[in-house]
């Protein structure tokens, strides 16, 4: 019985050594996997956020990305804070975190086929998340592919049009007057009726017309911004370049869902 006790006593340190060996082996493998699959600590992202408080984007900043995507203009991107981090921890390694402003620049490059905005794209990483793959090179590749296409493809973002035009200082009567002047509605009464009874159709008209005018482009500078004074200076230095697009037949004249062949450029 004594021999058995001695055997048990001697087994304890052996068991402890084996346990620790396994722990270190698991950690080593985990570190290796992390380094090869894009863990934030090992990534080669342009911007690294390893300590301190990280800034989460405000909902309005996502609206600015959607607005930039709609206009094919980077001007609204400058309203986004330069360090607003958008996270998606369950995404593939290398695309789990990004700077929202950079994603805004990249979105404009993609839908327009213009590689220019890609120069402003910066990849990001945190201690555990990597966005190293969401970089300027990827942006250029995507923009280059779209540039060669007759019909551009891109990500669609939901835009709160009523909120945006309200923030830009537009009143309902002013919007109605514009839509009537452009032949989108036959009268102020018709515009008002659509706004109240068929709001989705009405606000789609606003999105496709008013948002693409030089007047609205100039008012973007008046929207609430989260960036720096330097950002606003760069934003104000941008020139209006209208996006060419097809307009649908005015709502009151629609018989079938067929777009007009004319190209809109104001």
């Amino acid at each position: 019985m004594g021999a058995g006790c001695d055997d048990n006593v001697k087994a304890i340190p052996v068991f402890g050594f084996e346990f620790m060996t396994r722990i270190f082996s698991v950690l080593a493998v985990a570190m290796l996997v992390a380094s090869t699959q894009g863990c934030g600590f090992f990534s080669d992202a342009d911007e690294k956020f390893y300590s301190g408080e990280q800034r989460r984007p405000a909902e309005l900043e996502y609206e600015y990305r959607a607005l930039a995507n709609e206009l094919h203009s980077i001007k609204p991107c400058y309203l986004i804070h330069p360090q607003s981090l958008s996270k998606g921890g369950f995404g593939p390694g290398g695309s789990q975190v990004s700077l929202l402003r950079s994603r805004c620049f990249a979105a404009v490059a993609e839908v327009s086929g213009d590689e220019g905005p890609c120069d402003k794209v910066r990849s990001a990483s945190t201690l555990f998340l990597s966005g190293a793959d969401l970089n300027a090179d990827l942006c250029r590749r995507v923009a280059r592919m779209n540039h060669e296409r007759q019909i551009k493809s891109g990500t669609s973002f939901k835009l709160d049009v009523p909120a945006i035009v309200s923030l830009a200082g537009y009143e309902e009567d002013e919007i109605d007057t514009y839509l009537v002047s452009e032949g989108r509605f036959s009268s102020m009464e018709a515009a008002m009726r659509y706004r109240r009874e068929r709001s989705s159709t009405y606000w789609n008209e606003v999105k496709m017309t008013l948002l693409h005018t030089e007047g609205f482009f100039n008012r973007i500078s008046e929207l609430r911004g989260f960036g720096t004074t330097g950002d606003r200076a760069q934003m104000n230095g941008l020139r209006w370049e209208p996006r060419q697009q097809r307009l649908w037949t005015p709502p009151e004249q629609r018989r079938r869902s067929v777009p007009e062949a004319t190209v809109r450029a104001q």
Side-chain angles (χ1 to χ4, degrees):
M1 185 173 180
C5 289
D6 289 343
D7 290 342
N8 291 337
V9 171
K10 291 177 181 179
I12 292 175
V14 174
F15 172 77
F17 176 77
E18 291 178 350
F19 177 75
M20 293 303 297
T21 300
R22 290 179 182 177
I23 289 295
F24 283 121
S25 297
V26 171
L27 289 175
V29 172
M31 292 178 68
L32 178 61
V33 171
S35 64
T36 58
Q37 293 189 355
C39 175
F41 185 77
F42 294 97
S43 78
D44 57 351
D46 299 318
E47 304 285 346
K48 299 178 176 63
F49 300 85
Y50 292 162
S51 61
E53 186 176 355
Q54 297 168 4
R55 189 183 190 284
R56 297 181 59 182
E59 288 300 319
L60 186 54
E61 292 177 274
Y62 286 106
E63 292 291 336
Y64 292 152
R65 179 181 61 172
L67 178 61
N69 186 74
E70 169 64 28
L71 302 184
H72 293 191
S73 170
I74 63 174
K75 187 173 184 178
C77 299
Y78 286 105
L79 296 170
I80 300 172
H81 194 283
Q83 294 188 323
S84 286
L85 282 175
S86 178
K87 298 180 181 180
F90 295 103
S95 61
Q96 300 163 328
V97 62
S98 61
L99 291 163
L100 185 59
R101 182 188 286 188
S102 287
R103 296 303 293 270
C104 184
F105 290 136
V108 174
E110 179 181 4
V111 295
S112 66
D114 179 12
E115 296 181 45
C118 298
D119 294 338
K120 307 179 191 320
V121 172
R122 305 279 292 173
S123 57
S125 68
T126 63
L127 185 59
F128 299 109
L129 302 176
S130 171
D133 292 345
L134 304 175
N135 53 34
D137 288 339
L138 174 63
C139 175
R140 293 188 186 96
R141 290 198 301 271
V142 173
R144 199 173 300 127
M145 286 190 298
N146 241 356
H147 180 72
E148 298 171 354
R149 295 170 178 164
Q150 186 174 11
I151 299 178
K152 304 291 190 293
S153 61
T155 305
S156 178
F157 300 104
K158 185 178 179 180
L159 177 63
D160 190 341
V161 179
I164 287 294
V165 294
S166 177
L167 287 172
Y170 285 93
E171 301 290 341
E172 290 181 348
D173 286 349
E174 184 180 4
I175 299 172
D176 291 347
T177 299
Y178 169 78
L179 293 174
V180 172
S181 70
E182 293 298 307
R184 303 312 297 174
F185 292 105
S186 61
S187 65
M188 294 287 285
E189 291 74 17
M192 184 185 303
R193 183 175 69 254
Y194 269 81
R195 175 160 39 83
R196 292 176 176 176
E197 300 175 5
R198 299 177 60 181
S199 61
S200 61
T201 299
Y202 175 90
W203 290 113
N204 188 63
E205 289 294 319
V206 176
K207 182 177 73 171
M208 299 297 290
T209 58
L210 179 62
L211 294 191
H212 293 272
T213 64
E214 186 174 10
F216 177 81
F217 183 84
N218 292 334
R219 291 201 194 189
I220 292 175
S221 302
E222 302 173 15
L223 297 174
R224 177 192 174 192
F226 299 87
T228 65
T229 54
D231 294 331
R232 191 164 289 276
Q234 291 192 61
M235 178 179 66
N236 292 338
L238 296 173
R239 297 177 57 186
W240 177 62
E241 297 180 4
R243 168 190 169 187
Q244 292 186 335
Q245 58 183 332
R246 286 186 172 186
L247 288 179
W248 293 85
T249 302
E252 295 169 277
Q253 303 173 21
R254 290 176 191 169
R255 300 288 184 182
R256 298 177 180 177
S257 300
V258 179
E260 293 180 338
T262 56
V263 177
R264 182 75 168 181
Q266 294 185 13

